[in-house]
Amino acid sequence: VFSFAVPAAGAYFDKAGFLSLMCIVVMFVISGLKLKTDEFYDALKSVTGCIFGLISILILTPLIGVGLSSLVHLEPIEFQQGFSLYFCTPCAISASIIYSTQAGGNSALSLLLTVAASLLGIFSTPLLLSTITSFGSVSFPVVDMIIKLLLAVLLPLLVGKALQECPLGDHAVRRACGRHGKALGYVSNAFLVMIPWMKISAAASRGDLARVSLGDVGAASVWFCVVHAAFLAFNLLACNLIGMDDMAKRTVVMTASTKTLPLSLTVLGLLPPGMVDAGLAALPCVLAQFIQTLADSFLATAWNSRHPLGRPGPVHPDP
């Protein structure tokens, strides 16, 4: 809303390209500081959940999302491009763990899927964008994007994790992160919000938002609900056909059906100038994240309320 009302401020900061990069780096350093890997070995016992979850997150849901989106025509074209980008990203970084726990799933398995998919997504997202999506007559810079994501996402994540594991002062950094975890989350969210604020403000200052009507936003909202429902239905059906145990099934469904806003905005911020209107393309990504948060929070709570499993416990080995 602020981007629409006062676009000059965001557009001014958007011209200084390093600010978007700074926001990205800070977000992923904080993700590294908060990253917990102690439960990975327990989660690895659910081989089926790990394998299918990663395949669904990195390959199947992107194919479903982009494939379904090719059947409709959204206006403006940047909405189509924004959704295609969003569908090609891995699962939500922290929200998917919360949804899985709320649904009665296993947080350790969800954490493993989230971390593994986020790291592999650095490579899979550019490859998917170059093969199953269209950005007009411009070819997608796969190698350049992978290098940029390694430097802007993986390196800050590793730095944050290294700081967390630093033994100095009896693991002072880890203890500080534990005490101020909520504050770190607020800081990370603030930097996340700044990226679409700058991009949308820049689009508004150029007059590009005049091409967007409330009807366009409404159509995009309805379409994302359809695609997200397809993700949930597909993952639930596949887990049932595979014969996955109930706890792992809830974890995979709630994790593999989500997509991540930070990586979507990171890719948009790193695209070559002129390849796509990043401000307009960011709108459906932000809209999708908002709808996903509301829908999955309700669904996870309702699932565990109607069919409770009790407290999530350790992952049981596959037979």
Side-chain angles (χ1 to χ4, degrees):
V1 176
F2 190 67
S3 299
F4 284 87
V6 189
Y12 174 80
F13 286 113
D14 184 63
K15 291 180 181 178
F18 72 92
L19 287 177
S20 291
L21 181 60
M22 182 190 73
C23 292
I24 293 166
V25 169
V26 171
M27 281 192 306
F28 285 99
V29 167
I30 292 175
S31 294
L33 286 170
K34 298 176 67 178
L35 181 61
K36 297 179 181 178
T37 55
D38 300 341
E39 300 174 316
F40 274 10
Y41 292 110
D42 187 37
L44 284 171
K45 296 176 183 177
S46 181
V47 178
T48 305
C50 292
I51 294 176
F52 175 75
L54 286 175
I55 292 174
S56 179
I57 292 167
L58 298 173
I59 301 175
L60 299 180
T61 50
L63 290 174
I64 292 170
V66 175
L68 289 176
S69 294
S70 67
L71 302 177
V72 300
H73 181 68
L74 297 175
E75 290 289 348
I77 188 62
E78 287 83 1
F79 275 23
Q80 198 100 19
Q81 294 169 333
F83 274 138
S84 294
L85 167 58
Y86 188 75
F87 295 145
C88 287
T89 61
C91 56
I93 293 175
S94 58
S96 58
I97 303 173
I98 296 173
Y99 303 148
S100 298
T101 305
Q102 287 177 334
N106 189 279
S107 59
L109 177 57
S110 183
L111 175 63
L112 175 61
L113 289 174
T114 300
V115 174
S118 297
L119 295 178
L120 293 172
I122 293 173
F123 302 94
S124 66
T125 299
L127 290 170
L128 288 166
L129 289 172
S130 69
T131 53
I132 65 174
T133 66
S134 174
F135 285 86
S137 59
V138 182
S139 60
F140 192 86
V142 180
V143 176
D144 182 61
M145 180 57 65
I146 290 175
I147 293 173
K148 287 180 178 179
L149 289 177
L150 287 171
L151 295 175
V153 176
L154 182 59
L155 183 59
L157 188 72
L158 293 177
V159 169
K161 182 60 177 174
L163 289 173
Q164 182 200 132
E165 298 293 337
C166 179
L168 294 178
D170 192 22
H171 293 282
V173 174
R174 179 185 296 177
R175 289 187 286 108
C177 292
R179 289 195 304 270
H180 306 292
K182 188 173 290 187
L184 285 173
Y186 291 146
V187 172
S188 180
N189 289 335
F191 279 97
L192 174 62
V193 169
M194 286 180 66
I195 300 175
W197 168 61
M198 289 186 287
K199 299 300 180 185
I200 295 172
S201 294
S205 68
R206 294 191 300 267
D208 293 342
L209 293 183
R211 297 161 47 200
V212 181
S213 67
L214 287 177
D216 296 331
V217 175
S221 301
V222 171
W223 181 244
F224 177 75
C225 290
V226 171
V227 176
H228 189 55
F231 287 168
L232 291 164
F234 167 76
N235 284 315
L236 180 60
L237 177 61
C239 289
N240 283 330
L241 291 175
I242 292 171
M244 205 175 293
D245 70 83
D246 206 13
M247 186 175 290
K249 176 175 66 178
R250 296 181 188 216
T251 304
V252 171
V253 170
M254 298 310 302
T255 303
S257 301
T258 65
K259 294 298 172 182
T260 177
L261 181 61
L263 189 61
S264 302
L265 298 179
T266 298
V267 172
L268 279 176
L270 297 176
L271 285 175
M275 186 171 181
V276 65
D277 189 321
L280 288 180
L283 273 175
C285 297
V286 175
L287 183 66
Q289 188 76 12
F290 177 72
I291 296 172
Q292 176 181 275
T293 300
L294 292 180
D296 287 1
S297 297
F298 172 79
L299 176 62
T301 304
W303 195 351
N304 200 30
S305 296
R306 299 189 64 167
H307 305 282
L309 283 179
R311 292 180 176 273
V315 179
H316 300 291
D318 292 326

